[in-house]
């Protein structure tokens, strides 16, 4: 039994009572248009070029798009010997696909077998390929700028920044990159250059003359900070530039000059040079070169600023280094100092020892804060102590005078800075021991290492110096038998952060244990060993300034 269906088709009914899915006609069963004009109009309306051949490979039909894209192909043409070489080669080799460029268009063809011969379906992919190429080029430019930003951002030294600016554009933007720059003072005012060419192991440097800037169009303007757009030119007379090119490079085809600008003024100029056989710079490459040159200029200015700050910090730190300790009869003195781990974090830890008629006077302090302000206050405290100790050598009275002197400074209220300080008067006793008279201004308590190797703190106390006009300071006395040691230190020791696991402070407990482990050693060896233990605890971590001063009565 059969059931009629819409469309005039009929099919068997399944056992479940539902009609089965109708069978669709195969393409070969579809009726062909009887009108040849209609068939031609259908073919000519297609967006693809269609070329059909007989079994011998002779063209039998071309539609309108084929006439437009492949005008060399006409009915009767032997496709294997046609003027379009890629298509002829594909036909001879039996390939089913072909990619070719013809009359300025990029084409892609696919061959399909027919009952009598075959047909090539060819479409124009020029715009599609252009979009793909533009996307890939943009991705490449983005990756280049990202790499440039990363490498230039990590360059904090002038020479490293110049090397990056010269090496990164090769070979992506040019075959040779030349950076022309003015060195910072006190170098001579001559244009320095750094060149890198593809295949060279390292950049080459040299010093030129101002005739170079005058000979290369646009270079003088770039060095003067002219922000005009960089412009390439062909077949320029570059006699002076030829001396800067690698041996055997030949005549440059295209040279592009871009100013390296920064917020502080012109930093230099970037020359990108290509071989004669390489295409010139297009507009996007010019824009990319200009962006890279601007970033290189900013990085160079930042490197110069960092270099100036590092030099200033080094000079200030050198001026603040503890002096060589004097030789005092009947005493052994030893000091130790570790500058802050960051070269730009100028600290304020210091110590000094002055000889007196009865023995000596020592000072160990820690100025609050970091940077230039702390360095200035450190210098002021040390100079004030140098002067005031000429009129007062008793520690408690001297620290009170120093407090008044710091507060009487014109900018004391605005600075709001202070220092912790420990002063100690050392007096020799007849039995060879030392009487130590201490005055404290908020500084950590010193430690005494006794002859039996016990370690005990000396409580001094007091308030920071230079903070309050009504500050109160404390005094204490301790006697050192021959061979016993008094150790004074700054809080950079106990606050040193390190350790084998999570970062932790060295702390008072570890310091006491460390001092016990070195008890009985001479002051110089004791200080050196303690600094070594702190260094091992830090294990390379950034730290504050560290200062130590050890005093002992010389053995009989």
């Amino acid at each position: 039994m059969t059931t009629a269906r819409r469309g005039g088709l009929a099919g068997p009914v399944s056992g479940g009572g539902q009609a089965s899915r109708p069978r669709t006609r195969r393409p070969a069963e579809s009726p062909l248009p009887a009108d040849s004009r209609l068939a031609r109009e259908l073919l000519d309306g297609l967006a693809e070029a269609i070329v059909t051949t007989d079994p011998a490979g002779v063209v039998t039909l071309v539609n309108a798009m084929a006439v437009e894209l492949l005008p060399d192909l006409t009915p009767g043409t032997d496709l294997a010997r046609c003027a379009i070489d890629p298509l002829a080669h594909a036909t001879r080799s039996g390939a089913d696909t072909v990619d070719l460029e013809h009359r300025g268009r990029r084409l892609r063809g696919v061959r399909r077998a027919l009952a009598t011969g075959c047909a090539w379906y060819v479409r124009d992919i020029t715009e599609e390929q252009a979009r793909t190429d533009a996307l890939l080029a943009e991705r490449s430019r983005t990756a280049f700028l990202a790499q440039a930003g990363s490498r230039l951002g990590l360059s904090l030294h002038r020479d490293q920044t110049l090397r990056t600016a010269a090496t990164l554009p090769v070979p992506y933007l040019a075959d040779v990159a030349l950076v022309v720059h003015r060195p910072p003072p006190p170098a001579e005012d001559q244009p320095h250059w750094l060149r890198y060419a593809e295949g060279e192991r390292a950049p080459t440097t040299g010093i030129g003359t101002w005739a170079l800037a005058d000979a290369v169009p646009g270079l003088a303007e770039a060095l003067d900070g002219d922000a005009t757009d960089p412009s390439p030119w062909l077949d320029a007379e570059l006699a002076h530039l030829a001396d800067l090119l690698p041996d055997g490079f030949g005549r440059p085809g295209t040279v592009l000059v871009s100013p390296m600008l920064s917020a502080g003024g012109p930093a230099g100029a970037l020359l990108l040079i290509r071989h004669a056989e390489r295409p010139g710079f297009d507009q996007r490459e010019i824009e990319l070169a200009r962006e890279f040159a601007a970033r290189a200029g900013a990085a160079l200015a930042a490197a110069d600023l960092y270099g100036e700050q590092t030099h200033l910090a080094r000079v200030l730190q050198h001026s603040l280094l503890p002096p060589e300790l004097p030789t005092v009869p009947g005493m052994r003195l030893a000091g130790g100092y570790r500058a802050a781990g960051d070269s730009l974090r100028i600290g304020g830890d210091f110590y000094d020892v002055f000889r007196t008629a009865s023995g000596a006077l020592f000072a160990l302090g820690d100025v609050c804060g970091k940077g230039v302000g702390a360095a200035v206050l450190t210098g002021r405290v040390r100079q004030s102590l140098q002067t005031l100790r000429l009129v007062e050598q008793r520690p408690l009275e001297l620290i009170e005078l120093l407090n008044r002197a710091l507060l009487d400074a014109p900018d004391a209220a605005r600075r709001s800075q202070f220092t912790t300080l420990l002063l100690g008067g050392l007096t020799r006793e007849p039995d060879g021991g030392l009487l130590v008279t201490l005055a404290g201004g908020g500084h950590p308590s010193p430690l005494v290492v006794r002859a039996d190797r016990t370690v005990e703190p000396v409580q001094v106390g007091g308030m920071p110096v230079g903070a309050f006009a009504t500050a109160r300071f404390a005094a204490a006395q301790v006697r050192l038998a021959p061979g016993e040691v008094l150790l004074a230190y700054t809080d950079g020791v106990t606050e040193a952060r390190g350790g084998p696991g999570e970062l932790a402070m060295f702390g008072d407990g570890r310091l006491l244990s460390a001092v016990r482990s070195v008890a009985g050693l001479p002051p110089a060896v004791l200080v050196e060993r303690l600094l070594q233990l702190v260094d091992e605890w830090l294990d390379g971590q950034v730290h504050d300034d560290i200062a130590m001063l050890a005093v002992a009565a010389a053995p009989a």
Side-chain angles (χ1 to χ4, degrees):
M1 178 178 178
T2 60
T3 303
R5 297 187 176 204
R6 182 176 298 177
L9 297 177
V13 178
S14 65
Q18 295 179 347
S20 64
R21 182 175 299 175
R23 291 177 298 173
T24 58
R25 293 181 181 272
R26 292 174 297 177
E29 297 174 348
S30 300
L32 297 174
D35 190 347
S36 61
R37 289 179 302 176
L38 175 59
R40 165 59 66 176
E41 290 178 358
L42 291 174
L43 290 174
D44 290 344
L46 296 177
E48 287 183 317
I50 298 179
V51 179
T52 62
T53 63
D54 60 16
V58 177
V59 175
T60 58
L61 180 146
V62 291
N63 69 346
M65 184 57 68
V67 173
E68 179 180 344
L69 297 179
L70 306 168
D72 306 86
L73 301 182
T74 58
T77 301
D78 186 352
L79 203 58
R81 295 179 175 82
C82 70
I84 306 174
D85 291 337
L87 185 59
H89 177 74
T91 301
R92 292 193 299 270
S93 63
D96 291 329
T97 61
V98 65
D99 286 319
L100 65 144
E101 290 191 14
H102 188 62
R103 295 179 179 267
R105 311 296 293 179
R106 304 183 72 168
L107 309 176
R108 177 168 295 165
V110 178
R111 182 169 65 173
R112 295 285 184 266
L114 301 178
T116 56
C118 67
W120 280 97
Y121 299 87
V122 181
R123 62 189 181 93
D124 187 349
I125 61 170
T126 304
E127 284 74 18
E128 175 186 339
Q129 193 65 43
R131 289 192 295 270
T132 301
D133 292 344
L135 177 60
L136 293 176
E138 189 61 33
R139 287 179 178 176
S140 178
R141 282 189 288 269
T142 301
F144 173 77
L145 286 177
Q147 183 184 17
S150 175
R151 290 183 56 182
L152 289 171
L154 295 175
S155 300
L156 289 178
H157 299 281
R158 180 179 179 85
D159 291 343
Q160 181 182 358
T161 303
L162 290 171
R163 286 195 299 271
T164 301
T167 57
L168 202 58
V170 178
Y172 182 71
L173 284 174
D175 301 304
V176 175
L178 187 70
V179 177
V180 181
H181 62 98
R182 284 191 178 98
E188 58 181 328
D189 188 22
Q190 292 290 335
H192 288 52
W193 55 266
L194 185 140
R195 182 202 72 212
Y196 181 72
E198 186 176 9
E200 290 184 335
R201 297 182 61 183
T204 304
T205 60
I207 302 176
T209 64
W210 290 116
L212 169 66
D214 296 333
V216 180
L219 180 54
E221 292 81 357
L223 291 174
D224 289 336
D226 193 344
T228 57
D229 292 342
S231 56
W233 71 94
L234 298 173
D235 298 329
E237 292 296 336
L238 300 175
H240 290 81
L241 186 59
D243 297 334
L244 308 181
L245 297 175
D247 295 337
F249 184 83
R251 186 180 184 84
T254 310
V255 181
L256 178 63
V257 181
S258 301
M260 297 169 59
L261 300 175
S262 66
L270 175 66
L271 285 75
L272 299 179
I273 306 166
R274 289 185 174 181
H275 283 292
E277 59 271 16
R278 185 170 177 176
F281 296 91
D282 59 30
Q283 186 59 36
R284 289 189 175 183
E285 289 174 328
I286 292 175
E287 294 174 357
L288 181 61
R290 179 173 54 189
E291 174 67 20
F292 174 75
R295 295 191 181 192
L300 190 59
D304 287 342
L305 179 60
Y306 180 83
E308 293 174 2
Q309 292 177 337
T310 303
H311 176 70
L312 175 62
R314 190 178 299 113
V315 170
L316 287 174
Q317 283 183 337
H318 182 75
S319 67
L320 297 176
L321 289 177
E324 184 178 352
L325 298 181
T327 301
V328 183
M331 303 179 193
R332 285 185 174 181
L333 307 171
Y337 179 77
R338 292 285 189 273
D342 188 343
S343 62
L344 293 181
R345 296 176 66 231
I346 306 170
D349 290 12
F350 66 94
Y351 61 79
D352 272 309
V353 176
F354 314 104
R355 293 188 61 169
T356 64
S358 59
L361 174 71
F362 76 80
L364 184 138
D366 182 2
V367 171
C368 77
K370 300 294 173 192
V372 177
V376 170
L377 183 58
T378 301
R380 181 173 297 173
V381 170
R382 294 177 65 179
Q383 291 298 323
S384 298
L385 284 173
Q386 284 273 14
T387 304
L388 293 175
R389 58 106 180 175
L390 298 177
V391 297
E392 180 59 72
Q393 296 181 357
R394 293 172 296 176
L396 185 58
E397 286 75 7
L398 180 56
I399 203 171
E400 290 174 346
L401 283 176
L402 177 63
N403 186 63
R404 287 168 54 188
L406 294 179
L407 291 173
D408 285 344
D411 58 346
R414 178 177 56 84
R415 287 188 292 103
S416 299
Q417 287 183 305
F418 56 86
T419 180
T420 63
L421 185 64
L422 183 69
L423 294 180
L426 306 175
T427 305
R428 294 186 298 271
E429 295 195 317
D431 63 352
L434 285 180
L435 179 63
V436 185
T437 303
L438 299 170
H443 201 78
S445 299
L447 302 176
V448 174
V449 184
R450 294 300 184 186
D452 60 358
R453 299 195 175 188
T454 60
V455 181
E456 58 187 41
V458 180
Q459 300 298 332
V460 183
M463 300 174 67
V465 181
F468 306 101
T470 58
R472 294 182 178 273
F473 307 104
Q477 276 193 338
V478 61
R479 187 183 182 280
L480 299 179
E484 294 182 337
V485 179
L486 181 136
L487 175 69
Y489 58 92
T490 59
D491 59 10
V493 177
T494 55
E495 294 179 0
R497 291 185 174 272
E502 295 183 0
L503 293 181
M505 291 195 298
F506 195 72
D508 295 325
R510 288 189 182 87
L511 177 59
L512 286 172
S513 299
V515 174
R516 292 190 186 101
S517 69
V518 296
L521 297 176
V525 181
L526 181 145
V527 168
E528 186 61 33
R529 178 55 181 158
L530 289 177
L531 288 176
Q532 181 181 355
L533 291 174
V534 174
D535 289 340
E536 292 174 355
W537 177 259
L538 286 167
D539 193 23
Q541 296 291 330
V542 175
H543 60 86
D544 198 357
D545 283 355
I546 295 173
M548 294 182 185
L549 182 65
V551 178

